[in-house]
């Protein structure tokens, strides 16, 4: 019983560490007619590595993305 409990606790800890280090892209907003700002959110250190990307919106998707720019 103790072995199963330890395995569950270890698995839960590994899952939480892995989920905290990932990132997600979201919160896209348009700037003008051609450009879109996309924010990258991460869970590492409560969002210490957040970035904003400025991309050009085309019919085939987002192209020419640049980071650390003021829209």
């Amino acid at each position: 019983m103790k072995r199963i409990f330890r395995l569950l606790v270890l698995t839960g800890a590994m899952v939480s560490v892995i989920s905290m280090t990932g990132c997600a892209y979201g919160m896209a907003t348009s700037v003008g007619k051609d450009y879109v700002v996309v924010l990258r959110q991460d869970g590492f250190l409560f969002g210490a590595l957040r970035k904003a990307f400025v991309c050009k919106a085309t019919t085939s998707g987002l192209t020419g993305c640049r980071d650390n720019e003021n829209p």
Side-chain angles (χ1 to χ4, degrees), residues 44-58:
F44 180 69
L45 294 175
F46 303 105
L49 303 175
R50 290 183 184 149
K51 282 189 177 181
F53 295 94
V54 179
C55 303
K56 185 169 183 168
T58 63

Side-chain angles (χ1 to χ4, degrees), residues 13-36:
M14 287 175 38
V15 167
S16 67
V17 167
I18 290 170
S19 67
M20 287 178 54
T21 59
C23 67
Y25 294 92
M27 293 187 225
T29 184
S30 64
V31 178
K33 292 182 179 180
D34 295 333
Y35 291 97
V36 176

Side-chain angles (χ1 to χ4, degrees), residues 6 21 31 37 67:
R6 287 182 187 166
T21 59
V31 178
V37 175
D67 62 342

